[in-house]
Amino acid sequence: MRSSAFFSALTLTSFLFHPLFAEEAKDSIEFSRPVLSIFQEGTRVVKGGEHIRHLEGFDDLWILPTGGSIGFQVKKNERLALEVMVAATYYSSLNPNAFPQNYVRNVYISLPRLDASYIFGELAHPFLKVDFGIFNYKYNENSRNLGEYMFRSWAYPGFIQTGNAFGYVGNNSVNLTGLKLSQTLGMFSHEVLVTLETEMTPIYDLNLTYMARINYQNMLKIGGGVQISRALSNFDPPTMTAHYFEVDGISYPFDDKSGGIVGTDYYSRLQEGIREKLNSTTLSAADSVSWDKRCNCEPEGSKSNSLSSADSAQLAKEFASAERALVVIDSVKGLLPANRPKMHDLTAQAIKPVLYFSFDPKYFIGSNVFGPKDLIIYGEAAILGVKNYPVYYKDRMERTPMMVGFNLPAFKLLDVLSLEAEYYPSRLLPAYATTNSGGYQQVPVPYFETGYYPTDWDKDNWKWTVYAERTLVRGVTLSAQAASDHARSWDWASFGKTNWEMYTTPSDWYWAMKLAVKI
C-alpha cells in the first residue's frame, strides 16, 4: 500500500510553505464567532427502482434525517486561516435486511471542513490562494441536484452520485481531501487540485484535476476542466485491474486480480437476458443448443408474440456469439499462463473532461421584477473515461452524461425555482461490482444481474429534478425537491452507501422538504 507515501507527500507540501508562514509567526490568533446549523429533512420515496424491488417495503418509505454542524475560523493573520467544521446526522438505514441496525436510528459524525488556506499577493486581489486539508468544492454554482460530474462520478463503470445517504435536498457539492491552488486573472479564473479518492475503494488513489472558467459580466459563464482519475494507485499492483485478450480479431474479457473470470459472468448473464427477452419458460440446455444451431428462429416453447423475425434472428445471433465466447474463455482458462494469449489491462485509471455553462438574459432585459437567479439557463456535460475498451466500454457516447437546467421566473416570491433534466445513454446497470463482503469495487467492470440485456437499460437514460428554495427570515431556509436521480442509500451489510441507485426510470421518484436554521 502507498498510503504512507501519500501522507508523506502531503506533509512535505506543508513544510514547503513553512518559510512563508515563519515571518508571521508572532501574529496573534483570532477565533471567529462559531456558526451553528441544524436541519430537519423529510423525504418520501414514492416509487423505488425496478431492480431493487426485492427490498421489501422500499416504496412509500419515509426518510427523516436530522443533522447539524458547528463551524468556526481561526486566523493567524490576514493571509493564513484555518476553517473547521464538525457535523453529525441522526438517520436510519433503508436496507431492510436482518441487521438490527436497520431498525433503529443511528448517528453519523463527520469532519466536512479542516481547511488551512494561505493568500499570496495583495489581499484585495490575491495572486494565488492555497487550500490544504478537507474542503468543500463546487464549480457549477447553478446546479441544484444534477451535474457536478467531475467529482461525483467514477469511470469504468460510469457511475454517478447525487445527494448522499443522509439527505438529498441541497447536497449538490463535494468534500475533497488534498490540495487546491486557485488564481483569478480578471474574468478568467482557474484551479489545480491534487486530491485523494475518499469515496470509492480502493481509497487514497490520487486524482489530478485542472478547472478553468471565463466569467463575462456575470451574464455568460463558460467553464470546464479535465481530471486524470486515479493517476497514482494506492495499491501496487493496482487491485482495480481486469484483463482481456484477443483471438481472431475478437476481444474477450478474462480475469481480475483476484482470479475471477469476469467474462464468464458477463456472457452467461447476457444469455439469460436473451432467454427472458424471448419470454420462454421451457428453454432447457438442449433447447439452447438446438436454437444455437438454427440461429434465426425463436426457441421452441417461446411465449413471445411481440418479436419480429428480424428481432428473433438478432437475438439468436447474439446468443450464439455469447456461447462461443464462453467456449473460448473456458479454453484459455485451462491453459497455463505462459501459453495463454497476450493479456491487456483494463484499469480504473481514466481521463474525464467536463464542460459547463450558464447564461443570464437579465443582463439584456434589465427588469427589477425578477429575482437574482431567475431566468438563468445552465448546463453541463462530461465524458466518464475518454479511452474505449472492448466488450464493456466500446462507445464513448454511452459514457457521456449531459444535463440542462432553467431557473423559472419566481418574481422574488422564491429565492430559486429550477427545473433540471439529464440524459445519460449508458446501457449498463446503475450499479458497480462488489466483493462477496460487499461495498468494495475491486475491478473496473460493470455489475450484471441475472438476465442482463443492454437495451433493457435504455429505460434509465433520463433523470429530472424540480427544486424550490425560500428564505423565510434571515438564517432560516425552507427548500423542497422532487426528483428521479442518482441517489443511493445506506447499507449496513457493507457499512456504507449501497452500490445500486434507488431510481431507475423517470417514473421512479421521491419528494423531499428541508428546513435549515443557521445561527
Side-chain angles (χ1 to χ4, degrees):
M1 292 176 61
R2 298 180 181 175
S3 299
S4 58
F6 285 149
F7 288 111
S8 297
L10 294 178
T11 303
L12 177 61
T13 304
S14 66
F15 278 109
L16 292 177
F17 288 108
H18 180 266
L20 299 172
F21 303 152
E23 64 184 62
E24 300 163 16
K26 297 181 180 181
D27 293 347
S28 62
I29 296 178
E30 299 179 4
F31 287 82
S32 67
R33 183 177 65 86
V35 177
L36 304 177
S37 300
I38 59 172
F39 76 86
Q40 177 62 61
E41 183 173 317
T43 299
R44 180 67 164 177
V45 179
V46 178
K47 183 182 177 185
E50 179 181 338
H51 78 293
I52 56 172
R53 289 304 179 89
H54 62 281
L55 296 178
E56 182 181 353
F58 205 84
D59 291 351
D60 302 320
L61 186 68
W62 280 101
I63 309 170
L64 300 168
T66 305
S69 66
I70 178 171
F72 59 90
Q73 188 180 63
V74 184
K75 296 186 70 174
K76 179 73 170 175
N77 47 65
E78 291 300 316
R79 298 182 183 278
L80 178 62
L82 175 66
E83 184 180 358
V84 181
M85 179 183 289
V86 179
T89 304
Y90 189 45
Y91 73 101
S92 59
S93 172
L94 291 186
N95 194 12
N97 53 36
F99 290 92
Q101 297 97 321
N102 290 336
Y103 301 95
V104 298
R105 300 275 276 172
N106 302 275
V107 176
Y108 172 79
I109 300 175
S110 62
L111 187 69
R113 305 280 191 285
L114 188 60
D115 178 16
S117 62
Y118 191 86
I119 296 176
F120 293 84
E122 299 180 10
L123 294 176
H125 303 284
F127 169 73
L128 179 69
K129 182 183 179 185
V130 179
D131 288 88
F132 176 73
I134 303 172
F135 50 88
N136 185 259
Y137 187 73
K138 181 174 176 61
Y139 56 86
N140 191 341
E141 63 191 81
N142 293 291
S143 167
R144 299 296 164 185
N145 184 29
L146 304 175
E148 289 281 335
Y149 296 123
M150 184 65 87
F151 291 99
R152 297 200 300 173
S153 66
W154 301 273
Y156 311 128
F159 193 72
I160 302 171
Q161 178 180 310
T162 53
N164 62 41
F166 313 110
Y168 303 105
V169 180
N171 288 296
N172 50 27
S173 60
V174 294
N175 285 325
L176 301 178
T177 301
L179 178 71
K180 179 180 71 171
L181 307 177
S182 309
Q183 187 179 55
T184 299
L185 304 170
M187 65 179 185
F188 175 77
S189 60
H190 61 156
E191 299 164 325
V192 174
L193 299 101
V194 181
T195 58
L196 302 180
E197 177 60 54
T198 57
E199 180 70 22
M200 297 282 283
T201 54
I203 58 172
Y204 303 136
D205 281 6
L206 193 70
N207 300 318
L208 303 176
T209 310
Y210 176 77
M211 301 292 293
R213 184 173 75 163
I214 295 176
N215 180 357
Y216 179 73
Q217 302 292 325
N218 287 324
M219 179 267 294
L220 179 64
K221 299 176 183 178
I222 300 176
V226 63
Q227 179 182 97
I228 303 177
S229 177
R230 301 184 185 271
L232 180 62
S233 176
N234 184 34
F235 289 82
D236 191 11
T239 59
M240 293 185 68
T241 301
H243 299 299
Y244 64 92
F245 64 92
E246 187 175 303
V247 173
D248 297 329
I250 301 175
S251 295
Y252 302 91
F254 194 55
D255 68 347
D256 57 41
K257 288 294 182 180
S258 64
I261 307 300
V262 296
T264 301
D265 180 68
Y266 168 71
Y267 290 114
S268 61
R269 299 299 172 87
L270 181 61
Q271 285 185 319
E272 292 173 13
I274 293 173
R275 289 191 182 100
E276 291 180 3
K277 206 164 186 65
L278 289 166
N279 197 24
S280 173
T281 58
T282 60
L283 192 63
S284 64
D287 291 331
S288 298
V289 173
S290 174
W291 185 42
D292 184 18
K293 291 179 179 179
R294 288 181 290 170
C295 233
N296 61 354
C297 302
E298 291 189 35
E300 296 177 359
S302 172
K303 298 180 180 180
S304 175
N305 298 315
S306 60
L307 290 175
S308 66
S309 58
D311 290 334
S312 180
Q314 176 64 27
L315 288 172
K317 182 178 179 181
E318 292 179 12
F319 189 93
S321 177
E323 190 73 24
R324 287 192 294 272
L326 287 170
V327 172
V328 172
I329 292 172
D330 190 61
S331 64
V332 171
K333 179 182 177 182
L335 297 175
L336 294 174
N339 298 325
R340 291 174 182 170
K342 182 180 179 180
M343 295 290 170
H344 304 277
D345 286 345
L346 193 169
T347 73
Q349 188 178 95
I351 296 176
K352 297 195 303 183
V354 164
L355 182 67
Y356 66 97
F357 78 95
S358 69
F359 173 68
D360 188 352
K362 296 193 300 297
Y363 180 85
F364 302 100
I365 299 173
S367 174
N368 291 325
V369 301
F370 297 111
K373 299 176 182 177
D374 288 2
L375 303 180
I376 295 177
I377 304 170
Y378 54 97
E380 183 177 347
I383 301 177
L384 307 184
V386 170
K387 184 177 180 179
N388 285 333
Y389 287 102
V391 185
Y392 302 132
Y393 311 115
K394 297 185 292 184
D395 189 345
R396 197 171 290 112
M397 286 303 299
E398 292 183 3
R399 301 191 302 279
T400 303
M402 298 166 279
M403 68 83 68
V404 63
F406 177 59
N407 291 345
L408 296 169
F411 304 105
K412 300 181 182 179
L413 297 175
L414 297 172
D415 298 341
V416 63
L417 175 61
S418 68
L419 299 176
E420 295 181 347
E422 176 190 276
Y423 179 68
Y424 182 33
S426 173
R427 291 186 167 183
L428 301 174
L429 274 68
Y432 55 84
T434 62
T435 61
N436 291 334
S437 59
Y440 299 97
Q441 181 179 4
Q442 297 292 338
V443 289
V445 298
Y447 171 74
F448 299 111
E449 285 189 331
T450 301
Y452 167 75
Y453 192 73
T455 57
D456 288 346
W457 288 95
D458 288 337
K459 61 190 177 184
D460 71 338
N461 289 354
W462 288 97
K463 302 291 185 182
W464 58 269
T465 297
V466 180
Y467 179 89
E469 182 180 301
R470 167 72 180 181
T471 300
L472 303 179
V473 296
R474 184 177 179 181
V476 181
T477 303
L478 179 64
S479 50
Q481 178 171 294
S484 177
D485 56 18
H486 301 281
R488 294 185 285 160
S489 66
W490 182 267
D491 179 13
W492 275 104
S494 58
F495 198 74
K497 297 173 184 176
T498 58
N499 66 311
W500 35 260
E501 292 181 3
M502 295 164 61
Y503 309 100
T504 55
T505 71
S507 62
D508 301 328
W509 68 290
Y510 68 92
W511 62 265
M513 298 189 70
K514 180 178 182 179
L515 180 65
V517 179
K518 182 178 291 186
I519 303 174

